[in-house]
Structure formats: C-alpha cells, structure tokens
C-alpha cells in the first residue's frame, strides 16, 4: 500500500488536527493492531479527512499504530490521539497485540518485531 499524500501539505499544524490535545483518550501501544471493516470505513467518511485516511489504511488489512502513522505520514503523537478517538467512537477495532504484561515481556515482543523488520 502506497502512502497517501496530504494535499494540504505542511499548512496545517499537528496540534490543529487534534484540536490542541496531546494526550490520547486511552493508551494504545505502538505495536497494537487496529482494523476497520466496510461499515466503520463508511462512517469514518463523516468524521473528518484525517480519520477517513486512517480508516482507509486499516480497511481490509490490520495495521499497527506505527504503520498507520507511517502510511498516513502524520506525526506519531497526532496519529495516537486520532486513533484513540476512533476506537472510542467505534470507527476502528483495537486488537491487543500481547496480553497486558510487564515491561520485560513488552520489550521481548518489540525485539521480535524489530528482528522481523530487519529480515525484510
């Protein structure tokens, strides 16, 4: 999937996209997997341009929060706030990548993800 270019360019500041918010409604890990079905994507059309872009990236193929930020070319903090809003609004489905465990288990998971990315 090729990243979509934002026709607005750098004219819109990140804080304007999130209405000045810097903290998400819920903490979503970088490796958390999100998906969007056809109905959710159709509803996202009316939620705003940026949320619709996120929905189209996730429609038909689950993506991690980090991948969503990369494909939409939005800053990670902005993406995190918008994705958390979309999960709360029912526009995205959050799939837990790993059970809620301690720090070491999460670091092991991230290490495995990094190794897999390097092999690509």
């Amino acid at each position: 999937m090729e990243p979509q270019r934002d026709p607005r360019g750098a004219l819109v500041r990140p804080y304007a996209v999130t209405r000045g918010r810097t903290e998400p409604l819920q903490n979503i890990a970088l490796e958390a997997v999100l998906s969007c079905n056809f109905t959710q994507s159709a509803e996202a059309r009316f939620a705003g341009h940026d949320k619709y872009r996120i929905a189209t990236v996730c429609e038909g193929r689950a993506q991690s929060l980090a991948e969503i930020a990369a494909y939409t070319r939005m800053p990670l903090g902005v993406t995190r706030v918008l994705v958390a809003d979309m999960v709360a609004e029912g526009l995205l489905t959050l799939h837990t990548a790993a059970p809620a465990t301690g720090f070491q288990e999460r670091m092991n998971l991230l290490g495995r993800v990094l190794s897999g990315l390097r092999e690509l």
Side-chain angles (χ1 to χ4, degrees):
M1 169 177 267
E2 186 172 315
Q4 297 179 358
R5 298 223 183 258
D6 190 345
R8 298 173 298 177
L11 297 176
V12 177
R13 298 286 181 213
Y15 60 84
V17 174
T18 62
R19 296 184 181 104
R21 292 183 13 232
T22 58
E23 292 297 319
L25 295 174
Q26 72 183 72
N27 189 20
I28 298 177
L30 285 174
E31 70 273 8
V33 178
L34 299 126
S35 64
C36 180
N37 61 34
F38 177 77
T39 305
Q40 290 169 315
S41 179
E43 290 178 21
R45 281 181 191 243
F46 305 104
H49 172 74
D50 296 307
K51 289 182 179 179
Y52 182 63
R53 282 177 48 207
I54 291 170
T56 58
V57 167
C58 296
E59 187 178 7
R61 181 169 182 241
Q63 304 284 346
S64 72
L65 178 63
E67 290 172 314
I68 294 169
Y71 285 132
T72 58
R73 294 184 181 235
M74 286 193 281
L76 184 59
V78 172
T79 306
R80 180 174 275 161
V81 170
L82 292 177
V83 164
D85 290 350
M86 292 177 73
V87 169
E89 295 165 2
L91 299 175
L92 285 178
T93 303
L94 174 64
H95 306 278
T96 306
T101 57
F103 176 78
Q104 189 58 43
E105 288 83 5
R106 286 185 57 130
M107 291 307 294
N108 290 341
L109 174 63
L110 287 174
R112 291 193 306 271
V113 169
L114 182 60
S115 295
L117 289 172
R118 285 183 177 149
E119 290 178 10
L120 293 175

